[in-house]
Amino acid sequence: MSRSLKKGPYTDAKLMEKVEKALKKKKKKPIKTWARASTITPAMVGMKFQVHNGKDFPEVLIDENMVG
């Protein structure tokens, strides 16, 4: 089920801070996050994330098809 257009996309504030910091420093290190409900933005394309799945942190590479 998708989020209402009236509300707009949900992006976790702490996650976006980590993304902006990584873009400024041009880090290639994966970003560890628990924010699974956060919407993927175009700024995240090409970055690696370690997303918590309840047990461990599998690594996910974000590509253009995942935006939105």
Side-chain angles (χ1 to χ4, degrees):
M1 186 170 184
S2 64
R3 186 170 167 91
S4 171
L5 292 175
K6 175 175 66 173
K7 292 181 182 181
Y10 170 75
T11 53
D12 188 49
K14 289 184 181 181
L15 179 61
M16 291 309 295
E17 288 176 15
K18 291 179 183 181
V19 168
E20 290 171 5
K21 191 181 293 185
L23 288 173
K24 285 180 185 177
K25 293 185 179 182
K26 295 185 170 113
K27 286 187 177 180
K28 296 296 180 183
K29 187 176 173 184
I31 298 173
K32 188 178 275 192
T33 184
W34 284 260
R36 293 177 50 182
S38 185
T39 303
I40 297 173
T41 62
M44 298 177 185
V45 173
M47 300 181 82
K48 290 183 182 179
F49 289 90
Q50 292 179 330
V51 183
H52 191 254
N53 68 358
K55 183 178 178 183
D56 53 357
F57 291 90
E59 196 166 290
V60 179
L61 176 65
I62 305 298
D63 62 358
E64 293 177 7
N65 296 331
M66 297 179 178
V67 174

